Amino acid sequence: TTPATGANASQPTAGAPKKTAIYPVLITEKISFGEFAAKHGTTTTKLNELNGLSLDGSTILAVESELYIPAQP
């Protein structure tokens, strides 16, 4: 097989968004969405984006549920 070249070559797209490393966290205690975000060094806006949600910071999270958070540097 010949490697693809020219227009068929796989090249990174210059304007491609950088992917954020994420990992899941299990909710083990009664905590608000805002408190959870602060505890994990992020914002409710970012958590909503990562998890496909639209929760308010005062929303109490269900114990045993799981949310994705951005990996810390």
Side-chain angles (χ1 to χ4, degrees):
T1 337
T2 306
T5 58
N8 295 326
S10 177
Q11 297 292 324
T13 307
K18 182 180 176 185
K19 288 195 173 190
T20 302
I22 59 172
Y23 64 96
V25 174
L26 183 67
I27 310 302
T28 59
E29 62 184 335
K30 184 178 175 180
I31 190 170
S32 74
F33 191 53
E35 291 170 329
F36 180 85
K39 180 177 179 178
H40 293 284
T42 190
T43 65
T44 56
T45 301
K46 185 66 173 174
L47 290 179
N48 277 327
E49 289 172 2
L50 287 174
N51 293 281
L53 302 171
S54 58
L55 300 178
D56 180 87
S58 63
T59 301
I60 301 299
L61 300 174
V63 174
E64 298 297 319
S65 60
E66 191 174 69
L67 287 176
Y68 288 100
I69 66 168
Q72 300 301 313

